[in-house]
Amino acid sequence: MKPGDLVQNFKSHFNAKPNFIVRAPGRVNLIGEHTDYNDGFVLPMAIDREVWIALHPRADSTVRIASLDIGTESAFELHSLTPGKGWTEYPKGVASSLMNAGYKLKGFDAVMTGDVPRGAGLSSSAAVELAVARAFACSSGLDWDAVTMAKLAQKAEIEWVGVNSGIMDQMASAVCREGFALFLDCRSLEFQHAPLPKEVSFVILDTSTRRGLVGSAYNERHSQCEEAARWFGVKALRDVEEKEIGELALSRVEGWGVEGGLSEVAFKRARHIITENTRVLAAVQAMKVGDVKRLGELFNASHDSLRDDFEVTNDALNIIVACARGQEGCYGARMTGAGFGGCAVALVAEDKVTAFTQTLSAAYRQRSGLEAAVYVCKASAGAGVVSLEEYDKL
Ligand code: GLA
């Protein structure tokens, strides 16, 4: 989605024309939740909700970014970066990560805007990170290698921001192709652009609840998965077969955990990850043969596992998913992203989307007292540079 007046805003801020315009998308994850930091499989899709930056390189090492949405301007020096608070930590973290990897950076003046809802599970932070990385690539004449940049952006998130996140969001924002989802192996980082099924839409359902304290709950899930992997004696839960967890389920004492020290909580976390990996592979297969009914069933099973075993849904997510499943034309629905609030995604027959959107909003309002925001999204391309001519034509 083109932001209205980026060039005009740049001119009024800096009294000059920008030299570059860059953009990076948010993403919706179709299936494969919390599997990325377990070396597993994911299937995200970049969306047409993006972060845009217009910039003008500087000769020195100062970075000035005016955020049009937050209404503040922030400045930092590349050679004396210090941690602070607020949205500037993402640009600073990316700068630090690029410099630690040996890139020589030059500063820039920039205005930034975007329409990825924040804290909603649609990766607004990865979109900022990749847009900033793209901006540095322009200001400093760096080669753009999408996978390398995704890894460095993830490093920024872990080391600077302090969230022990996986690689899915940054990879989706960096390498997705327009019109495709991204089937990604988070261990090898091999990926395939997966064609989307025809005659269905992916509809994002924003519960309008926002996750609080997500960093700590997220990091806790990460540690519980590591605890389970240690118990199984494997590098990551990716290496456990579904049949092993099935056998354990039979031998454990409900509520007490598994004999030999795997706690009930870690058992449930592991069961989600192991079965979710299988569901991603099945979903890719279903997409390949155009079996949207099966894809919908997998969406449903994924949500139920995230609710019961991984315990990262909230009431609003469970209600909106139940409302979606009750509408005509909906093949399945699940929460998407880290959870604890934010968005769900529903798979809906294309010719039923308009009616679905209206009835879903009313049903959700009635059951939760909350207003949903509903977006039918398009699969967009990963981070890129948009020439001023192209921008004018958009
Ligand atoms: C967040 C993280 C991702 C991933 C998802 C859950 O979006 O940034 O790495 O773990 O949660 O699937």
Side-chain angles (χ1 to χ4, degrees):
M1 209 178 282
K2 179 186 178 181
D5 41 10
L6 199 56
V7 172
Q8 200 44 48
N9 269 299
F10 188 93
K11 283 185 191 155
S12 41
H13 257 88
F14 297 111
N15 235 339
K17 266 186 93 173
N19 296 45
F20 300 101
I21 296 181
V22 297
R23 50 157 285 284
R27 63 97 192 95
V28 58
N29 188 20
L30 302 184
I31 196 161
E33 220 62 84
H34 291 268
T35 43
D36 61 351
Y37 54 84
N38 290 289
D39 279 2
F41 302 105
V42 292
L43 189 64
M45 169 180 117
I47 55 175
D48 52 344
R49 297 241 157 190
E50 308 173 315
V51 168
W52 289 72
I53 298 178
L55 70 137
H56 186 80
R58 294 172 61 102
D60 60 15
S61 53
T62 299
V63 175
R64 285 201 293 170
I65 308 177
S67 162
L68 302 181
D69 310 321
I70 297 172
T72 55
E73 185 180 315
S74 168
F76 56 88
E77 257 304 305
L78 288 170
H79 301 299
S80 50
L81 291 175
T82 44
K85 282 202 162 34
W87 65 271
T88 329
E89 295 318 294
Y90 293 100
K92 284 200 291 194
V94 169
S96 158
S97 184
L98 288 171
M99 288 191 297
N100 286 341
Y103 290 103
K104 302 268 174 290
L105 299 189
K106 293 209 181 92
F108 56 76
D109 288 332
V111 294
M112 176 165 97
T113 186
D115 59 359
V116 191
R118 279 189 293 272
L122 301 177
S123 288
S124 58
S125 58
V128 171
E129 288 157 10
L130 267 301
V132 168
R134 254 301 184 188
F136 276 120
C138 289
S139 75
S140 318
L142 314 179
D143 285 339
W144 181 261
D145 177 71
V147 175
T148 306
M149 292 298 170
K151 285 195 211 163
L152 291 172
Q154 181 203 17
K155 236 172 177 237
E157 184 96 27
I158 297 175
E159 290 173 8
W160 196 276
V161 182
V163 178
N164 209 357
S165 80
I167 188 73
M168 167 170 71
D169 304 349
Q170 289 80 9
M171 280 294 282
S173 187
V175 311
C176 274
R177 184 185 289 171
E178 194 175 340
F180 292 79
L182 184 78
F183 172 37
L184 173 68
D185 177 339
C186 298
R187 171 168 278 170
S188 65
L189 294 193
E190 278 171 28
F191 59 84
Q192 280 173 19
H193 296 289
L196 296 171
K198 301 207 179 5
E199 291 166 12
V200 283
S201 297
F202 294 102
V203 184
I204 295 177
L205 314 171
D206 188 340
T207 59
S208 76
T209 59
R210 290 294 175 260
R211 52 199 206 201
L213 289 179
V214 68
S216 54
Y218 184 92
N219 290 345
E220 181 192 62
R221 294 298 181 285
H222 199 144
S223 313
Q224 290 163 342
C225 290
E226 283 171 347
E227 178 195 330
R230 273 195 301 278
W231 188 89
F232 281 102
V234 292
K235 179 162 176 278
L237 287 177
R238 147 77 174 271
D239 301 310
V240 184
E241 297 278 331
E242 202 176 334
K243 108 176 172 327
E244 287 180 64
I245 198 85
E247 283 159 9
L248 267 186
L250 289 176
S251 69
R252 88 204 152 109
V253 183
E254 187 81 46
W256 286 21
V258 174
E259 228 178 298
L262 183 66
S263 68
E264 176 74 6
V265 168
F267 168 81
K268 283 166 65 177
R269 305 299 185 247
R271 182 164 58 186
H272 166 71
I273 299 300
I274 295 160
T275 56
E276 184 79 348
N277 272 327
T278 311
R279 281 188 287 271
V280 178
L281 300 180
V284 171
Q285 193 50 36
M287 290 217 319
K288 229 179 235 167
V289 299
D291 189 347
V292 287
K293 193 169 162 282
R294 174 81 183 123
L295 189 57
E297 288 164 5
L298 292 161
F299 270 38
N300 289 344
S302 168
H303 181 86
D304 297 352
S305 172
L306 286 155
R307 182 192 57 212
D308 302 336
D309 275 354
F310 218 64
E311 298 178 283
V312 288
T313 65
N314 66 355
D315 289 347
L317 280 166
N318 295 330
I319 291 173
I320 212 160
V321 161
C323 292
R325 288 178 188 172
Q327 307 303 313
E328 205 195 333
C330 178
Y331 292 103
R334 55 180 294 277
M335 59 148 272
T336 186
F340 312 102
C343 293
V345 56
L347 180 66
V348 182
E350 219 164 45
D351 58 348
K352 297 285 192 302
V353 165
T354 311
F356 171 89
T357 305
Q358 286 158 2
T359 44
L360 181 275
S361 299
Y364 179 64
R365 186 181 308 120
Q366 205 209 352
R367 282 181 63 179
S368 69
L370 297 168
E371 285 302 320
V374 180
Y375 327 111
V376 181
C377 53
K378 285 211 204 80
S380 72
V385 181
V386 178
S387 73
L388 293 168
E389 296 72 47
E390 277 175 86
Y391 179 83
D392 279 342
K393 284 197 219 126
L394 285 175

